[in-house]
Amino acid sequence: MKYLVGAFLRVFVGLVLATAACAEEVTITSVGQTSDGMLVKVLMKGMAVDPGYNSGLTAQSLGSQKALIVVVGGSSKGLGAAGVTLDQERSRARLLLQEARKRGIRVLLMHIGGARRRGELTDTFIEATVGLADRLVVVAPGNLDGIFSKGRASGATLTEVDTPRAAVPVVSSTLQDWGLK
């Protein structure tokens, strides 16, 4: 019996560590502190990659990630709940993405809120991050003014989708292209 319990514990711990390792490869973070980042995590359930989630991920707390999914959308309530100002959040986002690029961590920037999640607050975060992404996935009405098209880095691919759910195959394909599936 003692042998069986020990074997079970070793297998259980191994599974937990393997799951944690998968989550380490990809992390989702919110820029602007909306709940859209958590929605992306929920939409990704069932994919081969199970991303971690950290709404306040910083350059200093980056680990062994191979990719970041950065979900942009400004929320004054979310910023207040997180206890950060617009300037602090913008700085965190820029430093995080600059450090990710320096380390060779791929950055997928998403905006899933469409036109309804655009405004001065969100635009501040888009302008601070759009040029630091390797790939962008945007719900089409959120790019009617071309903010993502104009601001993206040279060579960064932009894909517009109709709904947040329609972004899932694009995210899956991107992660596969990046060797994460």
Side-chain angles (χ1 to χ4, degrees):
M1 181 69 168
K2 187 177 181 180
Y3 173 76
L4 288 174
V5 170
F8 172 78
L9 287 174
R10 281 191 295 280
V11 169
F12 179 74
V13 168
L15 288 173
V16 168
L17 291 175
T19 301
C22 288
E24 277 297 309
E25 287 189 335
V26 180
T27 300
I28 298 170
T29 192
S30 171
V31 169
Q33 299 302 313
T34 67
S35 59
D36 291 349
M38 187 53 72
L39 177 59
V40 168
K41 178 154 176 61
V42 169
L43 288 171
M44 290 179 67
K45 290 228 184 270
M47 286 178 53
V49 174
D50 180 24
Y53 180 80
N54 182 342
S55 64
L57 187 67
T58 65
Q60 296 80 17
S61 61
L62 275 174
S64 60
Q65 290 93 343
K66 295 179 182 171
L68 293 180
I69 298 175
V70 178
V71 184
V72 180
S75 165
S76 55
K77 285 183 185 178
L79 290 169
V84 296
T85 66
L86 180 148
D87 290 336
Q88 290 169 327
E89 181 73 353
R90 180 177 44 215
S91 177
R92 176 190 73 87
R94 287 207 47 89
L95 292 171
L96 172 64
L97 272 59
Q98 288 168 347
E99 182 65 19
R101 288 179 71 91
K102 191 164 91 174
R103 292 188 192 189
I105 299 170
R106 305 298 299 263
V107 176
L108 171 61
L109 186 113
M110 299 181 71
H111 177 69
I112 63 168
R116 67 180 172 76
R117 283 273 199 205
R118 287 287 305 281
E120 189 176 328
L121 184 60
T122 294
D123 288 359
T124 297
F125 298 123
I126 293 169
E127 291 163 355
T129 57
V130 69
L132 296 169
D134 298 299
R135 178 89 196 250
L136 301 96
V137 179
V138 178
V139 172
N143 192 34
L144 289 176
D145 62 355
I147 192 169
F148 292 97
S149 304
K150 296 172 194 166
R152 68 184 168 160
S154 175
T157 305
L158 169 65
T159 303
E160 293 185 5
V161 296
D162 293 329
T163 65
R165 183 168 301 282
V168 173
V170 178
V171 172
S172 179
S173 167
T174 298
L175 294 177
Q176 186 173 0
D177 290 348
W178 292 349
L180 296 169
K181 189 172 180 187

